[in-house]
Amino acid sequence: MKIFRWKAVIPLALFALVVVLGWTLYVDRLIRLGVETGGTAAVGARVDLRSARLRLFHGDLVLRALAVTNPGQPMKNLFEADQIVLDLNVRALLEKKAVADTVAVRGLRFGTDRKTSGALPARSKSEGAVTHRGVEDWAKALPLPSLDFQGLGKGLEAIRAVSPESLRTLAQARAVAASADSVKAALERKIAQADPRPVIDSAQALVNRLQGTEARRLGLAGARDAATAVRSILNAVRGARDRVTALKAEVTKSVDSVRSGIAALDRARAEDYAYARRLVKVPSLDPKDISAALVGRAALQRLVPGLFLLQSAKQRIPPGLMPQRSSGPKRTRMAGTTFHFPKARHYPSLLVEFAEGSFALAGRTTMAGDYLARLTSLTTEPAVWGRPLTFLAQRTGAVVGPTGIRVGGALDHTGAIPHDSIKADLDGVGLAGCDLGAAAARVDLGTGVMRLGLVRTGDEVNGSWMIRTDSAGWTRLRDTAAVGDSNAIGSRAWLDALVWRAVSSLRQVEVSAAISGRLASPHFDVSSNIGTAVAGALRQAVAAEVSRVEAQVRAKVDSLVGQQVSAARAKLASLDTGPLKSLTDEQSQLDAVQARLEQRLRGLTPGIPGLRP
Amino acid sequence: MLFLKLLQQLVKALNSEGTPGQVAAGIALGAVFGLTPLMNLHNLVLFGCALILNVSMAGVFLGWTIFIPIGFALDPLFDAVGSALLGAPSLQGIWTTLYNVPVVPFTNFNNTVVLGSVVCWVVAFLPLFFLARWGVARYRATLLERLRKTRIFQAVTASGWYTTYRSLSRLLP
């Protein structure tokens, strides 16, 4: 029987022809869909591409009319490009890797309007959308001080609302007292079991019996018997002493744990003061807290795009050369997991070695002018490529105003710990205005300076953002013209009027924000001359009232928790004077009796052959 | 629909003029298209092999049809096998080399379901071949003559599509 069916060569050739034909007809469409789907997943908003054309023999890929939606503003594009030509590495394509040696971008425009919204469905599960939501949720959840003085007007009435059960000190004091009780009961039981009194009494009796007895008068046999008796009781004393020492260490440890609980009561009380102060709505008059309350949320929002970029980079560009895993392709069958096995000095799965584009922003705005954008070493596996991603966009010529616009950064994921940085310096640009969250006013910042710097190393982030302008303009958001000093102190209208009086004459405005620490629980600081001005005005108006209410708040908290805290302290004192003191006394007695026994033993054995001391 | 297709393939394969060995080889080879995710390079190569090798094409299609539901049902097993193999520290060197060799990545061997299903098919190939050969031989020795006398069989073999199939099967026995 023949193994090969040679007449099947024709159907096979036809089959191959169909495959090649299918490839030719559909590859461009598949690439377009791939760019749109992958881009949408990465950005978290729609990415549109009019056409893609792969020319394998030329080794290039031409993308036309690429539009990437701004995830924060779905009716705007982050950027649009008329044409992108990628010079592809064909050998890398054979390894299923997309490597572009150079990329040329033509017709690049930023912030263009979209005809249709590029937002994804409300709860899209694309990785980019999830990341963007995560960063926004994180920014919203970051606690900032509030500016609410309504407690001043209500005085004692509001203070009465402080419930004892909501105070941490009370719960903590009860827990400490209960812990002290259980520790005391357990220790007393153990001390009773290890009672050294019988041993001490026996030892005392023996010492008394041998008092004044000389070895020579006892004779050799008598001296030996006496020495044996002393050694035996001495061993019992040493054993009892060891038990008491071990028990004392245990008691000290238990008492220390209760003591640390007592120390925590002071911290809990400080938190309760702050809680009660918030409850009666008496915020801090510190300019930093007031700045955070007024412009903190707006400042945080300015950091969100940079943090989103760093977070996306962390997820999409894993550091090191460890095998990576991703979900398999979507299909009717189970998707499974796809493993990636990067290898140093080979092509990474995706690489754009060098991309450059120049573009111009038309018009006569402060942003209009000629720009240059450059990107190097964009890859999904930087450890394989061995070089960090760098990007830079800067203005090379301005239509009006200064030319100082420069945004750049580096994402270094070549090592085990990623190190990313973004820096933006914008001089003489139009600054977006912001509402003062806690007061009915809006500031339009006109033109000015903006600086942004973000550095992330591993999970640690350090960032700063600053704006400065000399041409701020103020708008009142609520009509509070009729209200004046006659408003009740602490009321919303009173606060709006006070803030307005403090800030409406400010032409020079500076806001700076700094973020540091682990991203999960960062330290966030805001300072601004707006906060300083408002804090000054508030101090003049309400400093005495705030001090009085604060004193009342502290007194109220003290009255609610004082009894329990005293009880807890008394329990600790009873531990110090009870089990611990009794063990210390017993240890001293054992030491004393042991010393006397050893002295007696030395008195019985000197110079007598056959008797060891 | 799948049942009718299965019945059709069954009748075609079991009553073709191929030897039991050819039909069994076709079934064992066709199983790969049902067991593994279809759109992969290895399936393209194996389909070419099925065309060029002197195996029963009806057997290939029968194997394919039978193993589609089995493949779906066994996906969790394939995933587990693939995960174990791709995650095995001792095999990392092999996978890393293959991942960086031209053309091989197009087989999607680095996907757990693909690798697991291909390995399971390779392991099952010979048992499947011998089982199918025994089954086809037994069928032809015992059931075929009795079936030929039934009205349904005669109706099927007399139908237009069967005549067409016979004409085509002369091109690809």
Side-chain angles (χ1 to χ4, degrees):
Chain A
M1 191 179 69
K2 292 184 292 182
I3 292 179
F4 294 104
R5 187 159 43 201
W6 295 113
K7 56 186 175 181
V9 169
I10 294 168
L12 192 61
L14 283 172
F15 178 69
L17 192 68
V18 168
V19 170
V20 171
L21 206 64
W23 164 266
T24 311
L25 286 174
Y26 291 104
V27 67
D28 291 342
R29 190 173 296 183
L30 288 174
I31 290 171
R32 182 173 65 80
L33 286 174
V35 170
E36 288 185 338
T37 312
T40 300
V43 175
R46 267 187 67 174
V47 170
D48 299 307
L49 181 67
R50 188 189 300 153
S51 70
R53 181 156 169 71
L54 177 67
R55 297 185 299 182
L56 270 181
F57 294 107
H58 289 81
D60 64 22
L61 172 67
V62 181
L63 307 177
R64 288 200 170 82
L66 177 74
V68 179
T69 307
N70 182 342
Q73 294 173 281
M75 290 307 291
K76 293 252 182 206
N77 286 316
L78 263 182
F79 68 88
E80 266 188 280
D82 290 340
Q83 190 183 57
I84 301 174
V85 182
L86 297 99
D87 183 17
L88 295 175
N89 184 316
V90 179
R91 187 189 142 77
L93 277 181
L94 287 174
E95 291 178 21
K96 209 180 170 186
K97 293 167 180 171
V99 175
D101 296 329
T102 59
V103 177
V105 185
R106 293 192 192 102
L108 191 61
R109 297 180 301 283
F110 289 88
T112 51
D113 293 326
R114 288 181 63 88
K115 285 177 184 158
T116 56
S117 168
L120 297 180
R123 301 305 291 176
S124 170
K125 288 181 182 165
S126 83
E127 204 173 328
V130 170
T131 307
H132 198 264
R133 271 204 303 274
V135 174
E136 288 212 316
D137 290 347
W138 167 86
K140 280 178 196 157
L142 203 68
L144 289 174
S146 63
L147 195 66
D148 190 344
F149 285 77
Q150 289 178 37
L152 289 181
K154 289 171 187 160
L156 286 173
E157 187 189 323
I159 293 170
R160 275 192 210 105
V162 179
S163 151
E165 294 311 314
S166 57
L167 300 178
R168 288 186 59 187
T169 314
L170 212 54
Q172 179 101 10
R174 283 179 186 145
V176 170
S179 162
D181 282 342
S182 72
V183 163
K184 191 176 181 185
L187 292 179
E188 280 174 350
R189 202 167 50 248
K190 284 184 183 173
I191 288 169
Q193 283 168 1
D195 185 10
R197 180 52 50 195
V199 177
I200 294 171
D201 291 346
S202 305
Q204 289 282 12
L206 183 63
V207 169
N208 291 339
R209 189 155 50 83
L210 294 174
Q211 191 73 38
T213 309
E214 290 181 13
R216 271 176 295 174
R217 288 176 58 191
L218 289 172
L220 188 60
R224 185 184 294 127
D225 289 347
T228 306
V230 170
R231 272 195 211 102
S232 165
I233 201 76
L234 192 58
N235 284 339
V237 168
R238 283 175 183 149
R241 193 185 177 284
D242 289 346
R243 283 195 298 277
V244 168
T245 305
L247 195 54
K248 193 182 170 195
E250 190 184 335
V251 169
T252 307
K253 197 175 166 189
S254 302
V255 173
D256 282 348
S257 80
V258 176
R259 207 184 306 282
S260 66
I262 293 286
L265 284 177
D266 293 336
R267 292 194 295 275
R269 197 187 295 216
E271 285 175 22
D272 284 340
Y273 288 151
Y275 160 75
R277 210 171 63 175
R278 282 197 301 276
L279 204 65
V280 297
K281 295 178 179 168
V282 182
S284 156
L285 294 183
D286 185 331
K288 279 198 167 186
D289 288 340
I290 290 172
S291 298
L294 289 169
V295 293
R297 201 59 69 190
L300 202 52
Q301 279 304 318
R302 303 297 195 275
L303 287 168
V304 162
L307 289 169
F308 168 64
L309 179 67
L310 296 186
Q311 192 69 1
S312 298
K314 186 190 170 198
Q315 288 169 349
R316 303 202 155 265
I317 312 177
L321 273 174
M322 292 297 289
Q324 297 139 20
R325 299 174 187 198
S326 61
S327 181
K330 281 182 186 168
R331 56 188 171 211
T332 321
R333 294 281 295 265
M334 189 175 173
T337 306
T338 297
F339 284 56
H340 304 273
F341 300 94
K343 190 176 180 182
R345 292 184 296 281
H346 278 66
Y347 294 118
S349 299
L350 175 76
L351 170 67
V352 174
E353 203 174 332
F354 181 84
E356 189 173 80
S358 56
F359 57 97
L361 292 184
R364 296 200 59 79
T365 65
T366 53
M367 294 296 286
D370 298 321
Y371 289 81
L372 175 75
R374 188 176 294 148
L375 180 87
T376 65
S377 302
L378 171 66
T379 174
T380 49
E381 289 153 9
V384 175
W385 183 234
R387 280 171 243 172
L389 181 157
T390 64
F391 60 93
L392 171 72
Q394 65 180 13
R395 186 152 65 170
T396 51
V399 173
V400 290
T403 58
I405 291 182
R406 192 173 192 279
V407 179
L411 307 178
D412 186 355
H413 291 214
T414 52
I417 297 172
H419 180 85
D420 302 332
S421 61
I422 302 172
K423 194 167 188 304
D425 295 318
L426 290 83
D427 292 334
V429 294
L431 300 171
C434 67
D435 294 345
L436 300 191
R442 175 180 172 77
V443 57
D444 293 303
L445 296 166
T447 56
V449 173
M450 195 198 96
R451 303 267 181 270
L452 172 73
L454 270 176
V455 175
R456 179 176 180 157
T457 304
D459 284 335
E460 293 279 332
V461 67
N462 268 295
S464 62
W465 171 82
M466 188 278 286
I467 52 162
R468 191 174 58 237
T469 179
D470 294 327
S471 52
W474 296 87
T475 315
R476 228 165 176 169
L477 297 179
R478 277 195 292 271
D479 182 19
T480 50
V483 300
D485 294 337
S486 60
N487 282 299
I489 193 165
S491 69
R492 169 56 62 188
W494 168 85
L495 181 65
D496 288 350
L498 185 139
V499 170
W500 179 252
R501 276 201 305 272
V503 301
S504 56
S505 58
L506 289 178
R507 290 291 164 265
Q508 191 179 61
V509 166
E510 183 169 336
V511 181
S512 58
I515 189 167
S516 59
R518 294 177 71 81
L519 201 52
S521 53
H523 181 71
F524 184 62
D525 254 341
V526 182
S527 59
S528 168
N529 62 334
I530 300 175
T532 309
V534 173
L538 280 167
R539 269 204 204 91
Q540 277 186 353
V542 297
E545 177 69 4
V546 166
S547 300
R548 191 179 63 78
V549 176
E550 273 187 347
Q552 287 176 340
V553 163
R554 291 168 82 92
K556 174 71 177 175
V557 170
D558 288 344
S559 73
L560 289 172
V561 303
Q563 196 180 352
Q564 293 288 342
V565 170
S566 299
R569 288 188 197 283
K571 303 263 183 191
L572 174 66
S574 77
L575 279 174
D576 279 333
T577 54
L580 202 56
K581 187 169 183 311
S582 108
L583 281 172
T584 307
D585 292 347
E586 283 167 352
Q587 199 178 24
S588 307
Q589 287 176 30
L590 283 164
D591 285 344
V593 82
Q594 184 181 339
R596 292 180 69 190
L597 281 169
E598 283 168 350
Q599 188 191 8
R600 206 55 237 136
L601 189 60
R602 279 195 298 275
L604 286 169
T605 55
I608 299 178
L611 286 182
R612 56 186 173 78
Chain B
M1 197 62 192
L2 184 69
F3 177 73
L4 286 176
K5 194 174 168 63
L6 180 65
L7 194 68
Q8 192 182 4
Q9 298 297 347
L10 193 67
V11 171
K12 272 187 196 175
L14 297 180
N15 303 307
S16 68
E17 286 166 5
T19 65
Q22 281 176 301
V23 175
I27 290 173
L29 195 58
V32 74
F33 306 121
L35 286 176
T36 68
L38 194 60
M39 300 303 282
N40 283 297
L41 185 64
H42 70 268
N43 279 338
L44 197 65
V45 173
L46 286 170
F47 192 72
C49 290
L51 284 173
I52 205 95
L53 292 173
N54 200 6
V55 298
S56 162
M57 281 309 287
V60 169
F61 287 113
L62 177 63
W64 186 346
T65 314
I66 288 173
F67 282 93
I68 285 173
I70 296 173
F72 272 87
L74 293 181
D75 268 350
L77 172 74
F78 299 152
D79 184 46
V81 171
S83 281
L85 289 170
L86 289 170
S90 56
L91 297 175
Q92 295 305 296
I94 296 174
W95 304 134
T96 305
T97 305
L98 289 175
Y99 187 78
N100 294 287
V101 165
V103 181
V104 177
F106 285 97
T107 61
N108 290 326
F109 78 92
N110 53 330
N111 180 268
T112 51
V113 175
V114 174
L115 182 70
S117 58
V118 169
V119 167
C120 288
W121 170 73
V122 169
V123 170
F125 184 85
L126 282 180
L128 206 60
F129 169 75
F130 288 116
L131 193 69
R133 193 173 68 169
W134 177 81
V136 172
R138 289 285 299 159
Y139 162 80
R140 287 184 178 173
T142 56
L143 279 174
L144 183 59
E145 281 312 310
R146 266 189 277 174
L147 272 176
R148 274 191 174 145
K149 290 171 189 164
T150 62
R151 285 188 181 178
I152 292 176
F153 190 90
Q154 285 164 1
V156 167
T157 51
S159 66
W161 65 262
Y162 188 76
T163 316
T164 313
Y165 160 70
R166 288 298 299 267
S167 314
L168 287 173
S169 66
R170 283 193 195 98
L171 279 174
L172 294 173

